[in-house]
Amino acid sequence: MALDQSFVGRTYPPTPPYEVGREKIREFAEAVGDTNPAYTDPEAAAALGHPDVIAPPTFVFAITFNAARQVTEDPQLGLDYDRVVHGDQKFVHVRPVRPGDRLTVSTTIEAIKSMAGNDILDVRGDVHDEAGELVVTAYTKLVARGPEADAPAAETKGA
Amino acid sequence: MSAKIAYADVEVGTELPARTFPVDRERLVRYAGASGDFNPIHWNERFAKEVGLPDVIAHGMFTMAEAIRVVTDWTGDPAAVVEYGVRFTRPVVVPDDEKGAEIEVHGKVAAKIDDEQRTVRVDLTVSSAGQKVLGMSRAVLRLA
């Protein structure tokens, strides 16, 4: 069933602050297998001009996707989350995420489309630091497959 | 910020050093823990097959995180990445054997965007088992 277009433009209340941990950044970099010292060594980061280590470019997704649950679990929107796959993802960085950042996410529904029986939802997460400055924006496209789209699920499931 | 690659030294068509990243089940479990994404399609073969997948698949966000390493290894400073976007087109299937899967990443400079901002666009080609797994995989970088 097509989603209600009146949700386009809706912004959800900012999430409680997520405090970025130095060891969480290290854990993420190690999980990816990325040994870039900018993620773990403050001196190496300083040599690049950073006040502290920085997080990898996609680190913030864990925070913005958690915030996007306000949308995916909104009973009024009624998205069938069991049918949702991750279509596209984009980040626009103002500055890198750093340890000690207390980040809040404001999530907005940018677009709702219906194509070939699928519902396509564009969600934007604006991530601000404690001073209210924009740090990064995450653009997430979610595709809720229609019932008739079951067959190619294995081909499209990418999240 | 101090990327080690200078804008002036880069041309459209400049190729970044290509890389192949191995991915096995252990790595997916580690990524699940680090990212907080515990969807069982990324670690539970029985569940993955029940929902119509050929086997356990890698997190799309894991593949996205690996692919940008070709860029961040090149620039040295990961903060050179001002924009990064991908489309998840096919799953990376990760069998439970000694080898697992491989993610192959190639990148090249597709455009010089702004001489003053020293920004370029790099297009990435990301494949596994001979098939593209990410589409529209692009990063905008601010170079030295």
Side-chain angles (χ1 to χ4, degrees):
Chain A
M1 201 176 81
L3 296 172
D4 184 350
Q5 283 288 333
S6 72
F7 278 74
V8 174
R10 179 171 301 202
T11 296
Y12 291 77
T15 54
Y18 172 102
E19 185 167 325
V20 177
R22 182 178 306 279
E23 297 305 329
K24 192 67 193 173
I25 292 175
R26 178 194 300 275
E27 181 190 2
F28 184 92
E30 285 180 352
V32 172
D34 195 333
T35 56
N36 192 315
Y39 303 139
T40 52
D41 178 356
E43 282 181 26
L48 295 169
H50 302 297
D52 199 339
V53 299
I54 63 173
T58 65
F59 173 86
V60 79
F61 182 76
I63 307 166
T64 60
F65 195 61
N66 200 38
R69 283 166 49 190
Q70 289 172 298
V71 177
T72 57
E73 294 176 3
D74 184 340
Q76 288 178 301
L77 181 64
L79 188 68
D80 182 359
Y81 192 65
D82 285 345
R83 297 191 163 279
V84 169
V85 296
H86 197 176
D88 295 26
Q89 181 60 41
K90 185 168 95 169
F91 301 97
V92 177
H93 294 272
V94 178
R95 68 157 173 89
V97 168
R98 295 188 287 258
D101 277 339
R102 289 170 59 82
L103 303 176
T104 58
V105 187
S106 297
T107 302
T108 300
I109 298 179
E110 288 208 308
I112 295 174
K113 286 173 206 146
S114 192
M115 275 177 70
N118 298 327
D119 286 319
I120 300 170
L121 198 60
D122 287 317
V123 176
R124 187 183 84 233
D126 293 311
V127 181
H128 291 89
D129 64 16
E130 212 163 17
E133 299 291 330
L134 185 65
V135 176
V136 53
T137 299
Y139 298 86
T140 302
K141 188 185 287 289
L142 298 173
V143 181
R145 289 171 291 118
E148 66 275 27
D150 272 351
E155 292 298 306
T156 55
K157 192 130 192 170
Chain B
M1 304 332 123
S2 57
K4 69 187 180 197
I5 304 294
Y7 180 79
D9 296 340
V10 166
E11 291 167 20
V12 171
T14 297
E15 293 200 15
L16 283 58
R19 296 216 35 198
T20 299
F21 302 104
V23 44
D24 60 12
R25 294 289 181 84
E26 182 195 348
R27 190 143 291 286
L28 295 185
V29 170
R30 287 170 68 107
Y31 186 80
S35 68
D37 182 346
F38 293 102
N39 188 329
I41 59 174
H42 305 306
W43 53 269
N44 183 330
E45 191 168 321
R46 175 178 51 81
F47 183 88
K49 287 180 173 168
E50 267 173 25
V51 298
L53 293 165
D55 205 333
V56 160
I57 63 170
H59 306 72
M61 289 305 300
F62 173 82
T63 305
M64 185 177 187
E66 293 294 343
I68 198 66
R69 290 174 62 190
V70 160
V71 170
T72 54
D73 282 356
W74 184 59
T75 59
D77 185 359
V81 178
V82 292
E83 258 189 60
Y84 176 36
V86 306
R87 171 162 296 169
F88 303 104
T89 50
R90 275 178 184 275
V92 174
V93 178
V94 182
D96 184 21
D97 57 23
E98 303 215 331
K99 199 160 172 291
E102 287 183 331
I103 299 168
E104 250 182 76
V105 185
H106 296 259
K108 72 174 174 197
V109 176
K112 295 188 85 167
I113 299 171
D114 188 323
D115 290 347
E116 230 155 80
Q117 296 283 316
R118 305 184 309 281
T119 46
V120 302
R121 194 185 92 214
V122 166
D123 288 359
L124 298 170
T125 307
V126 185
S127 54
S128 183
Q131 290 191 302
K132 275 182 76 170
V133 293
L134 298 181
M136 308 281 289
S137 186
R138 296 169 168 186
V140 174
L141 319 177
R142 184 172 296 124
L143 299 178

